[in-house]
Amino acid sequence: MKKTLQNPLMLAAFAVAWLLPSLLFAIDPADLEPVQGEEVAILTDAPHVPPPITRKHPTKVIVHLEVSEVVKRLADGVDYTFWTFGGSVPGKFIRVREGDYVEFHLANHPSSKMPHNIDLHAVTGPGGGAASSFTTPGHESVFYFTALNPGLYVYHCATAPVGMHIANGMYGLILVEPLAGLPPVDKEFYVMQSEFYTKGAYGEGGLQPFDMDKALREEADYVVFNGAVGAMAGDNAAQAEVGDTVRLFVGNGGPNLVSSFHVIGEIFDKVYVEGGTFINEQVQSTMVPAGGSAIVEFKLDVPGTFILVDHSIFRAFNKGAIGMIKAAGGDEKRIYSGKTDDRIYQPEGGAIQSIPQDEAPQALAQNKAERIENGRIVYNQVCVACHQAEGQGIPMAFPPLAKSDYLNADVDRAISTVLHGLTGKVTVNGVVYESIMPKLELPDESVANVLTYVYSQWENNGAEVTPERVAAVRASGAVH
Ligand SMILES: [Cu+2]
């Protein structure tokens, strides 16, 4: 304080601040342009972005953001109680211009159970606004800030326990456009990655509560773009046309994981690294830290579906981190031909690849108990990686063998599956899988043992499979 008072300019600023609070922003020591007029911010839900700012002067921007706690879909058949900034996850996208004076209203819906606040990384001030915005249910807080630094910033709730508020969906993005604006592009989208930690495993149905232990161990069940599995895929894919330049405002709410953000089949012409002003070019994947961002730009030169992933790839294919941009339009064969031919190629005698099994054939089992014991060993060497320790499988990737109606309905078909592998659609316990089980190259004895083991476990029907029966199915050549 002593130092501040020695500075005559600051002293003048303080004097005016006391006398004429409404003029404070106009004489800020940071030489900000005077604020002219006011406007109410347009706020959007992902993947939409408010329109670019065309004005050439700072203004007073009034932001009304309402926190609400809502039950919504996290994945098919899975619901979650999200704590939201604006009714969905991620929170509303806020767009202001460098130098704008922001009047921020944070309302907390009366139906909320928790108090909340907001920490905007774009704010220079204690807690990024959190210190001034603690808001109990049925209340509204107001505070003001000047957007001093251009860039793309994360905002989030910072009410204790902070991790839990963020894990429940409390984050979003605020863009502070530089004075000169961002170069015009054809399409802009809002994409925000985050993880969810649920009591049940991935895909386990019903209303899933938050799991604090998993969150502490950073063992995410779901890693998603825009708040739910498929929120930006399939029918919800972002739409664009060939020739469009696309800009993605990418954020990562965390709470824990760093994203290796990648778009399959595209190269980022530009990346505004970490959402700042430094531009990197010709980038394949860019890191987006938890509580950080990046702006990426690319031109859609060819038609097709471009898939957004976290290239920590199990998150993409097994935890939900997949988004899509569909580019409609004519082919550009010179850039990408598409498949021009499809020929049979059978170096190993079949379209299904095989996994050679190099262990010695098992000693012949003398009875069902020995068969089960030997089968357990085969299972744990060969099948467990996909079908999992309790035969529960992995949702959307590997069907269950536990209590599997498909398995229990037909022993010969199960034998054929293990002998020849399996492709195409199969329905197991009402769920359709469309994947590939490789051919496993197991001797008849091992096939008999492993299936006898599987049938003896996890409420299956207890059938015993003999090597003779396996040999008969092999000899029949029947492939299901
Ligand atoms: Cu909160």
Side-chain angles (χ1 to χ4, degrees):
M1 195 60 185
K2 200 170 159 210
K3 212 172 173 189
T4 308
L5 291 177
Q6 283 165 357
N7 179 336
L9 191 80
M10 286 298 288
L11 192 59
F14 267 96
V16 177
W18 279 108
L19 298 169
L20 295 166
S22 62
L23 285 181
L24 176 61
F25 47 86
I27 50 144
D28 190 289
D31 285 335
L32 291 163
E33 274 184 77
V35 167
Q36 301 172 34
E38 65 175 51
E39 63 188 41
V40 175
I42 299 169
L43 305 180
T44 58
D45 288 321
H48 304 291
V49 179
I53 294 171
T54 51
R55 71 187 143 73
K56 297 289 173 231
H57 58 84
T59 196
K60 178 170 155 187
V61 179
I62 302 164
V63 176
H64 288 281
L65 194 57
E66 184 197 62
V67 172
S68 59
E69 301 168 2
V70 293
V71 174
K72 289 191 144 186
R73 175 189 168 280
L74 175 56
D76 286 340
V78 185
D79 288 335
Y80 192 85
T81 304
F82 296 95
W83 298 354
T84 73
F85 284 110
S88 46
V89 177
K92 301 275 186 191
F93 195 104
I94 306 168
R95 188 167 196 158
V96 301
R97 181 176 178 270
E98 180 182 353
D100 279 350
Y101 184 60
V102 181
E103 176 181 310
F104 205 101
H105 296 245
L106 187 73
N108 190 356
H109 196 273
S111 67
S112 294
K113 299 198 172 49
M114 297 281 162
H116 300 285
N117 65 8
I118 192 165
D119 169 350
L120 299 120
H121 292 180
V123 169
T124 308
S132 321
S133 59
F134 182 82
T135 311
T136 51
H139 287 251
E140 176 175 305
S141 303
V142 183
F143 64 100
Y144 296 79
F145 67 92
T146 296
L148 294 176
N149 303 69
L152 179 64
Y153 298 95
V154 167
Y155 66 78
H156 61 87
C157 183
T159 304
V162 179
M164 182 176 177
H165 284 251
I166 296 179
N168 283 338
M170 300 199 77
Y171 36 77
L173 292 178
I174 175 169
L175 173 68
V176 181
E177 280 204 43
L179 294 179
L182 291 170
V185 290
D186 299 301
K187 298 272 158 54
E188 293 183 327
F189 298 110
Y190 172 15
V191 184
M192 197 155 190
Q193 180 173 325
S194 59
E195 324 99 57
F196 288 90
Y197 301 84
T198 51
K199 279 273 181 285
Y202 179 90
E204 214 170 298
L207 179 62
Q208 287 291 332
F210 167 67
D211 189 318
M212 188 67 166
D213 289 334
K214 286 183 183 173
L216 279 172
R217 293 197 303 270
E218 307 190 8
E219 289 169 2
D221 297 284
Y222 296 85
V223 182
V224 297
F225 293 122
N226 292 347
V229 176
M232 203 183 164
D235 291 344
N236 303 322
Q239 305 290 334
E241 273 116 63
V242 172
D244 280 354
T245 306
V246 174
R247 174 180 290 140
L248 303 180
F249 295 105
V250 185
N252 185 359
N256 293 316
L257 303 180
V258 172
S259 173
S260 302
F261 186 73
H262 177 76
V263 176
I264 299 175
E266 271 298 344
I267 294 119
F268 303 143
D269 301 320
K270 285 190 200 172
V271 174
Y272 293 69
V273 178
E274 294 173 359
T277 44
F278 177 77
I279 295 178
N280 198 0
E281 294 180 329
Q282 323 305 355
V283 175
Q284 60 197 301
S285 300
T286 194
M287 296 273 273
V288 188
S293 71
I295 304 173
V296 307
E297 294 176 9
F298 49 91
K299 184 161 181 253
L300 292 169
D301 293 300
V302 299
T305 300
F306 295 88
I307 301 184
L308 284 50
V309 294
D310 179 339
H311 215 297
S312 293
I313 210 71
F314 277 99
R315 297 177 191 168
F317 292 106
N318 302 81
K319 296 186 171 186
I322 286 185
M324 292 177 188
I325 297 175
K326 289 194 175 156
D331 285 359
E332 278 294 340
K333 298 277 192 230
R334 171 84 191 268
I335 298 173
Y336 184 73
S337 70
K339 188 171 193 169
T340 58
D341 198 1
D342 187 337
R343 310 160 196 218
I344 304 291
Y345 173 68
Q346 290 189 310
E348 294 169 73
I352 296 177
Q353 293 295 296
S354 51
I355 301 181
Q357 303 299 330
D358 46 14
E359 350 44 85
Q362 295 195 312
L364 296 187
Q366 301 304 320
N367 54 45
K368 189 174 175 188
E370 281 183 25
R371 206 172 284 302
I372 290 172
E373 212 26 62
N374 290 352
R376 182 195 310 278
I377 295 165
V378 178
Y379 186 84
N380 287 323
Q381 283 172 346
V382 182
C383 322
V384 74
C386 300
H387 292 288
Q388 304 296 293
E390 300 301 320
Q392 74 271 33
I394 294 182
M396 287 145 94
F398 305 116
L401 299 181
K403 233 179 162 178
S404 157
D405 57 0
Y406 185 95
L407 172 84
N408 289 305
D410 188 338
V411 173
D412 286 349
R413 183 174 64 180
I415 294 172
S416 164
T417 298
V418 178
L419 287 178
H420 305 294
L422 190 61
T423 55
K425 281 195 177 133
V426 284
T427 305
V428 181
N429 299 342
V431 180
V432 177
Y433 294 82
E434 191 167 8
S435 187
I436 298 177
M437 170 162 154
K439 193 174 167 175
L440 297 169
E441 309 282 7
L442 291 169
D444 292 355
E445 174 76 13
S446 301
V447 175
N449 294 350
V450 76
L451 281 173
T452 304
Y453 168 71
V454 166
Y455 276 117
S456 73
Q457 299 294 306
W458 317 307
E459 297 180 54
N460 287 327
N461 67 14
E464 179 173 5
V465 180
T466 60
E468 293 72 31
R469 188 154 180 188
V470 175
V473 173
R474 198 189 282 279
S476 79
V479 176
H480 290 91

